[in-house]
Amino acid sequence: MSSSPLDNSLVEEATRWRRHLHAHPETAFDEHRTADFVAAKLEEFGIEVHRGLGGTGVVGTLKRGTSPVAVGLRADMDALFIHEENVVDYRSSVDGKMHACGHDGHMAMLLGAAKHLARNGDFDGTVRFIFQPAEETGDERCGGNLMVKDGLFEKFPVQAVFGLHNLPSAPLGSFMMRPGPMLASIDTFEVRIGSALAHPATQYGVADPLLIAAGIVQAMHAFKARYVNPAEPVVLSITQFQSGNPADRQSVHVTPDKAVVRGTVYTLNDAVRDQFEAGLERLVRNAAEAGGASHEFLFERGYPVLRNTADETEFAKNVAEEVSAAVNAAMQPVMGAEDFAFMLGAAPGCYVFLGSRHEGEAAPRQLHNPRYDFNDEVLPVGIRYWATLAERFLAQNASGRRQ
């Protein structure tokens, strides 16, 4: 545990912060009021604040003593375009937007740790409190990547950076992590097949984009099944197929002039990403040429594979064991994606899951769901983890030890 126990009033205050943030959600790169709130709290604690990194990002710096060692702690700030269905007094005040992933709780835990360390922290060195915008974009235009490109670790150097995400399907207060690949990369693709409008009776004279696109969908799944090593974890999903005009019932008598297919690829292997980009482009081109249609193929790289470094994962495990009796440091990788991967590509570190299940409920409140709500009972666990991690990291690195 951190050298000084948490004050109950701090947990109560963090709960109020969390619920205020929940009631005022802001989505990617629009986190202006959120950033104002975070910056004001950090300044109130006596922490130096820098704003504007990666758009609306906030970095707080708390330095004590003479040690040059610094550690980074990161929380995400953005909400989602989801209309909240919860009936609580702090429900979202913005129609169509809500904190459905727990970023409100992530911010409250890190703010709680910041206040605790500023008031009671026992350390020699520097703690960087990194509040990142736009984690939910799914592409390279995300907050994690932009903060790194804006010079996060040049302006605010650290020996390691750590991240945390709540997991409502896991027992309250439990921790999960693993060294190496922990979360997948995400890439998106779009296929456009073009032809000309035709009467169904004369379709034989014109390429049928719908039929060609349907064949491409089948061929993509065949590519994954037969041309990619089955030992490689890959999730291929066709999420959109659009052709014709379903709003116009009379258009049922006209064969469409275009079809659009969109989807995603998740994997834990960069070579597999390259294989899919080349393979899908080839099968789209061949199918379109064989059918006499035009085609366009776009493959957009998103978040890279999130890889925890071995020493930092072992360190995070030891810290987690100080604050929780349930720690799994060899969890299976999760085939979701997270833009903290960009920060781990620039500095060593570790990302962990913190169990936040609402005990007694028949089913967990899944992330990205209109009925999701962060479990405030896990706030003290997260605050203790962050405060303990900062103190332990600075102490062990300053003395040249790593437990």
Side-chain angles (χ1 to χ4, degrees), residues 157 192 204 342:
R192 290 183 173 271
Y204 61 85
F342 286 104

Side-chain angles (χ1 to χ4, degrees), residues 12-30:
E12 294 171 358
E13 193 173 17
T15 301
R16 292 195 295 272
W17 298 337
R18 202 286 292 183
R19 296 183 178 188
H20 168 83
L21 291 164
H22 186 92
H24 302 91
E26 295 176 303
T27 49
F29 299 117
D30 286 328

Side-chain angles (χ1 to χ4, degrees), residues 11 35 40 67 104 185 210 218 220 229 237 280-281 296 299 337 348:
V11 177
S67 171
D104 49 348
S185 61
L210 195 156
Q218 294 282 63
M220 285 181 172
N229 186 342
S237 298
L280 297 188
E281 189 280 330
E296 295 178 41
F299 193 92

Side-chain angles (χ1 to χ4, degrees), residues 172-393:
L172 181 70
S174 61
F175 283 87
M176 291 136 286
M177 66 208 74
R178 64 174 284 117
M182 178 167 155
L183 287 107
S185 61
I186 176 175
D187 301 315
T188 60
F189 58 84
E190 178 177 289
V191 178
R192 290 183 173 271
I193 304 298
S195 181
L197 295 171
H199 189 283
T202 59
Q203 177 66 69
Y204 61 85
V206 178
D208 185 342
L210 195 156
L211 184 62
I212 294 169
I216 287 171
V217 169
Q218 294 282 63
M220 285 181 172
H221 287 290
F223 177 82
K224 174 182 179 294
R226 287 294 178 265
Y227 296 96
V228 178
N229 186 342
E232 293 287 355
V234 179
V235 178
L236 168 69
S237 298
I238 309 300
T239 56
Q240 296 179 2
F241 191 122
Q242 301 169 353
S243 190
N245 181 9
D248 179 7
R249 292 182 61 86
Q250 289 302 311
S251 68
V252 72
H253 300 292
V254 179
T255 56
D257 60 349
K258 59 181 174 293
V260 179
V261 177
R262 298 188 182 98
T264 58
V265 180
Y266 292 81
T267 180
L268 299 173
N269 187 328
D270 290 336
V272 173
R273 300 177 81 182
D274 296 338
Q275 185 180 7
F276 263 87
E277 181 171 10
L280 297 188
E281 189 280 330
R282 184 173 59 252
L283 69 85
V284 168
R285 171 168 35 87
N286 291 343
E289 290 177 355
S294 65
H295 75 280
E296 295 178 41
F297 177 75
L298 173 67
F299 193 92
E300 185 174 40
R301 297 293 176 113
Y303 305 164
V305 178
L306 185 148
R307 293 183 172 90
N308 288 332
T309 48
D311 288 347
E312 285 66 33
T313 303
E314 179 68 15
F315 171 75
K317 174 186 79 75
N318 292 339
V319 172
E321 289 174 343
E322 291 193 51
V323 301
S324 173
V327 178
N328 178 2
M331 64 171 286
Q332 287 190 325
V334 173
M335 297 304 290
E338 156 66 63
D339 81 341
F340 188 64
F342 286 104
M343 294 191 185
L344 289 178
C350 179
Y351 188 77
V352 305
F353 285 125
L354 173 57
S356 59
R357 180 184 298 163
H358 289 263
E359 300 298 336
E361 290 190 337
R365 304 186 188 189
Q366 298 292 347
L367 301 173
H368 292 218
N369 185 290
R371 297 302 302 275
Y372 170 82
D373 190 14
F374 183 86
N375 188 349
D376 291 328
E377 292 184 22
V378 81
L379 287 171
V381 182
I383 295 171
R384 288 191 189 98
Y385 173 75
W386 280 137
T388 304
L389 186 147
E391 290 182 342
R392 296 289 183 270
F393 186 89

Side-chain angles (χ1 to χ4, degrees), residues 118-138:
R119 298 289 188 269
N120 308 299
D122 180 16
F123 61 90
D124 181 10
T126 301
V127 186
R128 312 283 194 193
F129 303 97
I130 303 167
F131 291 85
Q132 179 213 298
E135 188 277 323
E136 299 285 3
T137 67

